């Protein structure tokens, strides 16, 4: 009995400790949500708002809002929604193309035995350790140069940025190849006996069987591309072409005290979809990450 | 069907060859070289039956080659040049620019002109010196591109043919500007300055010998200096300079030049300290929370777990920017909570030591959930019989943790810790968006800050204005990061034995 009581106390203590830690950890999140609905919403505002308002949300959604200084109805001149749309567009195209590029390569590495396979694997393994941001100067100069001949992939274009991201296939090839290895070859082999071509066997049999890893790789690429700051900040210049990360950084850095409320609302808008995706697939991500490094 | 296919393949290959030849013949050597490589690779893969597997790898290989391998090689190349502000162009480009530079001598007279259309399609130019009122005549043939120098003759009367309107002159001005009109006495050579004036515009530099340039104003001779990348007369350099291979100069500068070396060594040490403490802090908090939350009889585990990984689910750039606001010295909520008076505000991001601590705390917030998730996974995979055996042997909780849990976790997590270390070495967002690398270091000639890590320093050297862009130095530092990462990679492979298993397992 005594022992049980002790355990109860201990359990309670544990709960209290975890809750205390959670309160500290989640404070910024809760605070930023509260700020986004706070009528004053200036930096350093109290945690529980005295007066609620939707002005900050109207501001970032490009609707008419009441300017707190002049009291007039107006529309924000920052294209925050465009930035968000740019980010989503770039991330989506990147993840789709990334899947196309890495599944085909992964299939070859997993199924064929040929000269140079070992060394291909070795090269992939080594190169995926080097994050591409180390070559940022090279990317910038290369796109500058390419843009003179092919304007669609120069600096300050989304096409150029996407191409730069597509260089980062090795990690994904590695992940997908690992999954392909677990699918028995016999299924494809019998299909090929029945007159299927290699390529048909690949996209009609192997791809549908590996939907889980494709989803994880696609979503991971989406999240990582969406969260990237350094490459778009180097490669993009025009305000309307910026990604959310770069745009919002410029937006808030110009005036921390004046745009805090709007910034809070924008953060929630940008973080919510990514957060949701992440929390849904975090189990797979961890098993993927433990295979090859950490979030990059 | 098969014939058509073969025909198509062959014509595409031939077309590729034509493009390559065209590129070379128009002088794009580098791009032509890359094109030939791609072309050769494509042809082999399409034609050779043994290369069948590579047809699957081809799309991935090409982007990997173009946007990973080439940029890396290019970075190596730039690291050994002085490419940057003032040295962005090649030697021959700079020479062309300088030879195109012009000046107007003080003695130059100004001349008004009018243009008149002749019946034969040529243009009659009528010029009047605004000081002496002397009149000159000449003939321009716009249809003939090669006759750009025209001799003027002294005349007495004005022209009588049809005037060309100023609007039309303005349109053809770029063509007119190529003309040189020589005066009858050979003293002045006139060029078009605007849509109504001509004046004596001369070339600033003229070629002397093979490589040198003569300054036509001062008469000085300028030689190209292949160590600094400028034309120089020994005392002053002409801008723009050109980029040259400087060998190991960038590295030598980094490690010997006092003003550069001091900050650079500090940055290296801080980078390592930052990465190491980030790993240790996140790992400690992560493992602590994992053990705490994964207790056997704890209710609400699932909810706690989700809540604890929320920080990791938010894109890093958003969280870091939020923290930048929270830690704001004058208005930030953290200072508001600590003290409501306006004096004694803590300068979280402006003080060298506090800024470093702030970076670490923010990074702890961002990174501990990763460690929490990983260790949770490992904890769950440890069979409970191990713990039961331990408790039967009378081991206390701390002993169990130290002797069983920790070693089991460490063996599984070691390569991940190295991976996390490598990630934090290049954790640009965690530093740059919070402090911008600042506060600035005192006595540094480069834009070095107290919290700068190697990658943010690279970024600031190359892309932050102020002191100009130094691509060469930035790439040299990037190469140093490359070496660091390479060492880590070797350690990681040794630790995990991952490569062996993965390739052998597939055989």
């Amino acid at each position: 009995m005594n022992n049980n009581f002790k355990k109860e106390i201990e359990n309670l203590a544990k709960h209290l400790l975890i809750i205390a830690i959670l309160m500290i950890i989640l404070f910024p999140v809760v605070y930023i949500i509260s700020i986004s609905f706070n009528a004053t919403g200036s930096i350093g505002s109290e945690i529980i708002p005295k007066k609620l308002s939707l002005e900050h949300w109207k501001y970032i959604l490009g609707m008419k809002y009441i300017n707190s200084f002049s009291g007039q109805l107006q529309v924000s001149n920052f294209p925050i929604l465009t930035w968000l749309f740019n980010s989503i567009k770039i991330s989506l195209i990147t993840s789709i193309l990334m899947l196309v590029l890495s599944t085909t390569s992964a299939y070859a590495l997993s199924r064929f035995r040929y000269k140079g396979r070992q060394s291909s694997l070795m090269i992939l393994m080594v190169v995926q350790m080097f994050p591409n941001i180390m070559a940022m100067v090279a990317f910038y100069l290369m796109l500058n140069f390419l843009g003179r001949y092919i304007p669609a992939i120069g600096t300050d274009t989304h096409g150029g940025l996407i191409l730069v991201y597509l260089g980062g296939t090795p990690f994904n090839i590695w992940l997908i190849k690992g999954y392909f290895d677990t699918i028995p070859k016999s299924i494809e082999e019998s299909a090929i006996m029945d007159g299927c071509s290699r390529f048909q066997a690949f996209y009609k049999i192997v791809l549908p069987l590996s939907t889980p890893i494709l989803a994880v790789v696609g979503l991971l690429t989406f999240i990582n591309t969406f969260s990237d700051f350094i490459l778009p900040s180097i490669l993009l210049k025009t305000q309307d072409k910026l990604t959310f990360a770069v745009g919002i950084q410029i937006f808030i850095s110009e005036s921390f005290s004046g745009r805090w409320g709007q910034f809070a609302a924008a953060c929630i808008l940008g973080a919510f979809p990514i957060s949701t995706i992440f929390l849904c697939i975090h189990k797979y991500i961890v098993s993927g990450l433990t295979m090859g490094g950490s979030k990059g | 069907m098969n014939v058509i296919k073969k025909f198509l393949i062959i014509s595409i290959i031939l077309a590729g060859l034509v493009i390559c030849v065209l590129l070379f013949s128009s002088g794009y050597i580098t791009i032509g070289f890359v094109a030939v490589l791609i072309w050769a690779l494509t042809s082999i893969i399409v034609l050779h039956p043994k290369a069948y597997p590579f047809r699957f790898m081809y799309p991935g290989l090409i982007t990997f080659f173009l946007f990973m391998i080439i940029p890396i090689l290019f970075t190596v190349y730039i690291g050994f040049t002085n490419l940057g502000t003032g040295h962005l162009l090649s030697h021959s480009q700079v020479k062309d620019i300088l030879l195109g530079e012009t000046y107007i001598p003080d003695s130059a007279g100004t001349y008004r002109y009018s243009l008149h259309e002749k019946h034969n399609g040529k243009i009659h130019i009528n010029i009047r010196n605004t000081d002496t009122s002397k009149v000159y005549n000449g003939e321009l043939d716009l249809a003939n591109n090669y006759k750009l120098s025209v001799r003027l003759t002294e005349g007495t009367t004005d022209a009588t043919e049809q005037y060309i309107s100023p609007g039309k002159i303005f349109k053809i001005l770029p063509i007119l500007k190529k003309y040189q009109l020589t005066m009858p006495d050979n003293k002045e050579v006139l060029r078009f300055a605007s849509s109504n004036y001509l004046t004596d515009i001369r070339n600033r530099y003229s070629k002397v010998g093979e490589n040198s340039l003569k300054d036509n104003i001062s008469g000085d001779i300028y030689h190209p200096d292949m160590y600094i990348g400028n034309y120089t007369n020994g005392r002053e350099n002409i801008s723009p300079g050109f980029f040259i291979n400087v060998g190991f100069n960038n590295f030598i500068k980094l490690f010997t030049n006092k003003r550069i070396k001091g900050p650079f060594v500090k940055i290296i040490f801080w980078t390592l300290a930052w990465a190491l403490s980030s790993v240790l802090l996140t790992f400690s908090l992560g493992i602590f929370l994992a053990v705490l939350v994964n207790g056997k009889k704890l209710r609400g585990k699932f909810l706690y777990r989700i809540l604890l990984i929320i920080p990791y689910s938010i894109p890093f750039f958003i969280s870091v920017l939020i923290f930048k606001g929270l830690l704001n010295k004058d208005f930030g909520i953290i200072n508001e909570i600590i003290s409501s008076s306006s004096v004694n505000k803590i300068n979280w991001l402006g003080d060298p030591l506090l800024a470093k601590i702030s970076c670490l705390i923010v990074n702890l917030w961002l990174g501990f959930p990763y460690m929490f998730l990983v260790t949770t996974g490992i904890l769950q995979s440890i069979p409970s019989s191990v713990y039961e055996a331990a408790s039967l042997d009378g081991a206390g909780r701390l002993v169990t943790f130290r002797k069983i849990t920790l070693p089991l976790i460490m063996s599984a997590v070691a390569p991940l810790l190295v991976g996390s270390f490598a990630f934090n070495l290049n954790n640009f967002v965690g530093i740059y968006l919070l402090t911008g690398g600042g506060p600035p270091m005192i006595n540094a000639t480069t834009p070095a800050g107290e919290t700068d890590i190697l990658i943010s320093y690279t970024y600031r050297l190359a892309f932050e204005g102020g002191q100009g862009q130094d691509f060469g130095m930035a790439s040299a530092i990037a190469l140093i990061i490359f070496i660091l990462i390479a060492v880590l990679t070797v350690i990681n492979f040794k630790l995990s034995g991952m490569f062996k298993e993965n390739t052998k397992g597939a055989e």
Side-chain angles (χ1 to χ4, degrees), chain A:
Chain A
M1 202 57 205
N2 193 14
N3 210 356
N4 248 348
F5 181 68
K6 222 174 136 190
K7 273 206 171 142
E8 282 294 313
I9 293 281
E10 202 189 293
N11 239 335
L12 189 68
K14 265 190 181 177
H15 276 286
L16 287 177
L17 182 60
I18 295 174
I19 289 169
I21 292 172
L22 272 176
M23 275 169 71
I24 298 173
I25 286 171
L26 294 181
F27 166 73
V29 180
V30 176
Y31 178 64
I32 223 70
I33 294 174
S34 130
I35 285 289
S36 81
F37 292 105
N38 190 328
T40 16
S42 64
I43 194 165
S45 285
E46 61 288 342
I47 298 155
I48 298 156
K50 291 196 182 90
K51 201 175 145 227
L52 293 174
S53 105
L54 286 176
E55 295 305 316
H56 303 317
W57 284 94
K58 286 183 184 163
Y59 180 95
I60 60 154
L61 293 176
M63 288 150 54
K64 280 190 177 146
Y65 70 101
I66 299 166
N67 185 317
S68 53
F69 294 109
S70 61
Q72 282 171 333
L73 265 182
Q74 60 184 90
V75 177
S76 127
N77 43 13
F78 285 95
I80 294 176
L81 278 188
T82 312
W83 293 337
L84 190 60
F85 173 75
N86 287 343
S87 271
I88 293 175
K89 184 185 94 180
I90 292 170
S91 313
L92 200 65
I93 297 177
T94 304
S95 12
I96 292 171
L97 291 178
M98 184 72 94
L99 280 180
V100 172
L101 295 176
S102 39
T103 44
T104 44
S105 303
Y107 184 74
L109 285 170
S110 163
R111 288 299 190 266
F112 300 120
R113 294 289 170 271
Y114 52 87
K115 233 183 177 182
R117 177 175 171 276
Q118 282 294 332
S119 36
S120 312
L121 283 172
M122 186 69 173
I123 291 169
L124 282 183
M125 193 65 213
V126 172
V127 172
Q128 59 99 4
M129 285 297 289
F130 296 89
N132 57 3
I133 56 170
M134 277 189 263
M136 57 186 159
V137 173
F139 285 132
Y140 175 76
L141 295 174
M142 271 174 71
L143 288 199
N144 240 338
F145 178 76
L146 282 177
R148 267 182 255 155
Y149 307 101
I150 317 167
I153 57 167
T155 42
D156 204 16
T157 64
H158 292 165
L161 183 60
I162 291 172
L163 279 179
V164 168
Y165 285 132
L166 290 182
T169 42
F171 177 59
N172 296 322
I173 293 179
W174 197 252
L175 276 184
I176 297 174
K177 183 215 158 243
Y179 196 90
F180 283 170
D181 286 344
T182 64
I183 299 173
K185 283 180 200 170
S186 50
I187 311 177
E188 293 153 77
E189 272 155 14
S190 56
I192 290 173
M193 296 276 265
D194 290 344
C196 221
S197 77
R198 244 314 171 188
F199 192 68
Q200 280 173 328
F202 163 64
Y203 80 90
K204 284 194 174 155
I205 296 168
V206 179
L207 279 193
L209 282 175
S210 28
T211 336
I213 192 72
L214 299 186
V216 167
V217 168
L219 291 171
L220 256 184
T221 311
F222 186 91
I223 292 176
N224 286 342
T225 314
F226 188 94
S227 313
D228 187 34
F229 174 82
I230 193 163
L231 288 174
S233 89
I234 290 168
L235 299 176
L236 302 177
K237 292 277 169 304
T238 321
Q239 176 166 298
D240 280 340
K241 286 184 182 167
L242 298 183
T243 62
F244 187 70
V246 180
I248 209 72
Q249 194 258 346
I250 294 171
F251 175 77
I252 188 65
S253 297
E254 280 174 1
S255 159
F256 255 96
S257 45
R259 296 179 183 155
W260 189 236
Q262 293 93 325
F263 169 72
C267 282
I268 297 166
L269 186 74
F272 186 74
I274 301 292
S275 242
T276 317
I277 298 175
F278 183 87
L279 292 178
C280 291
I281 60 166
H282 76 265
K283 277 191 179 165
Y284 306 99
I285 288 182
V286 170
S287 56
L289 288 175
T290 43
M291 273 180 65
S294 62
K295 184 172 174 179

Side-chain angles (χ1 to χ4, degrees), chain B residues 329-373:
Chain B
K329 183 192 166 201
D330 300 315
F331 317 102
I333 185 77
I334 292 182
N335 271 353
E336 296 279 318
I337 293 173
I338 292 174
S339 75
S340 49
S341 65
S342 56
V343 282
N344 291 333
K345 297 263 190 196
I346 302 171
N347 195 359
W348 291 106
L349 304 176
D351 175 80
L353 182 67
L354 277 177
K356 286 177 182 166
I357 295 174
S358 304
C359 286
L360 281 171
I361 293 176
V362 172
N363 207 38
L364 173 63
W365 190 87
L366 299 171
F368 84 86
Y370 170 67
M371 297 296 183
F372 169 77
L373 276 174

Side-chain angles (χ1 to χ4, degrees), chain B residues 29-320:
Chain B
I29 306 298
T30 343
I31 236 188
F33 190 67
V34 173
V36 165
L37 263 178
I38 293 176
W39 172 81
L41 207 66
T42 317
S43 316
I44 293 171
I45 286 168
V46 174
L47 294 178
H48 203 291
K50 267 200 173 170
Y52 182 77
F54 284 102
R55 286 184 212 175
F56 278 86
M57 294 186 65
Y58 184 61
L61 269 182
I62 290 286
T63 52
F64 170 65
F65 177 70
L66 282 180
F67 293 99
M68 197 82 199
I69 300 296
I70 289 189
I72 290 178
L73 297 178
F74 194 32
T75 307
V76 175
Y77 172 75
I78 301 168
F80 291 92
T81 66
N82 65 345
L83 199 67
T85 306
H87 298 273
L88 281 173
L89 303 168
S90 70
H91 188 175
S92 63
Q93 280 172 314
V94 168
K95 202 171 180 183
D96 288 345
I97 287 178
L98 293 179
L99 286 174
E101 260 181 35
T102 54
Y103 75 105
I104 301 169
D106 294 335
S107 63
T110 47
Y111 301 83
R112 260 194 105 85
Y113 70 87
S114 59
L115 298 180
H116 310 270
E117 209 136 7
K118 277 185 152 184
H119 297 297
N120 56 8
K122 293 180 182 174
I123 289 174
H124 175 200
I125 181 164
N126 184 253
I127 297 168
R128 180 184 289 272
N129 186 325
T130 50
D131 297 324
T132 63
S133 296
K134 276 189 180 168
V135 175
Y136 305 90
N137 291 302
E139 195 182 71
L140 311 179
D141 184 3
L142 294 195
N144 186 350
N145 269 330
Y146 297 99
K147 221 185 147 222
L148 293 175
S149 68
V150 173
R151 270 204 97 73
L152 296 174
T153 52
E154 201 160 337
T156 44
T157 50
D158 289 345
T160 52
E161 297 104 331
Q162 178 68 46
Y163 270 97
I164 296 180
S165 71
K168 198 178 168 202
I169 292 179
F170 193 74
K171 268 186 202 156
I172 57 172
L173 198 59
I175 308 172
L176 294 176
K177 281 191 168 170
K178 293 177 186 163
Y179 280 87
Q180 302 188 355
L181 314 174
T182 315
M183 294 296 274
D185 57 3
N186 280 332
K187 274 190 184 155
E188 288 186 310
V189 177
L190 304 185
R191 291 194 219 190
F192 288 85
S194 72
S195 56
N196 28 24
Y197 282 102
L198 288 160
T199 188
D200 184 9
I201 300 177
R202 294 186 193 169
N203 279 331
R204 173 75 193 267
Y205 301 101
S206 46
K207 265 192 209 173
V208 178
E210 188 76 352
N211 273 321
S212 304
L213 297 176
K214 183 183 167 201
D215 184 346
N216 290 328
I217 297 179
S218 63
D220 281 356
I221 306 285
Y222 287 83
H223 304 285
D225 182 330
M226 285 311 185
Y227 291 99
I228 54 169
N230 279 92
Y231 277 93
T232 178
N233 63 356
R235 280 164 284 124
E236 47 186 330
N237 305 330
I238 313 178
S239 283
F242 43 90
F243 67 85
I244 43 162
N245 191 319
V246 293
F248 283 92
N249 260 6
N250 287 328
F251 298 92
I252 293 170
K253 248 199 241 169
L254 278 176
F255 289 107
T256 57
N257 183 327
K258 245 189 190 168
R259 285 294 181 86
I260 299 175
K261 180 186 135 196
F264 182 65
V265 170
K266 261 171 119 179
I267 289 174
I268 289 192
F269 275 115
W270 165 237
T271 306
L272 295 173
W274 147 263
L276 192 68
S277 1
S278 288
V279 173
L280 288 181
L281 286 174
T282 51
F283 183 60
S284 317
L285 184 58
I287 201 170
F288 171 74
L289 287 172
V291 172
L292 190 65
V293 172
N294 284 294
K296 240 185 279 169
K297 280 174 189 151
L298 198 74
R299 268 196 246 161
K301 248 190 244 180
F302 184 72
L303 183 67
Y304 286 147
R305 219 175 276 160
I306 289 283
L307 288 177
L308 278 172
I309 57 173
I310 280 182
Y312 195 61
S313 73
I314 299 168
F316 282 4
F317 71 90
I318 290 181
S319 321
V320 176

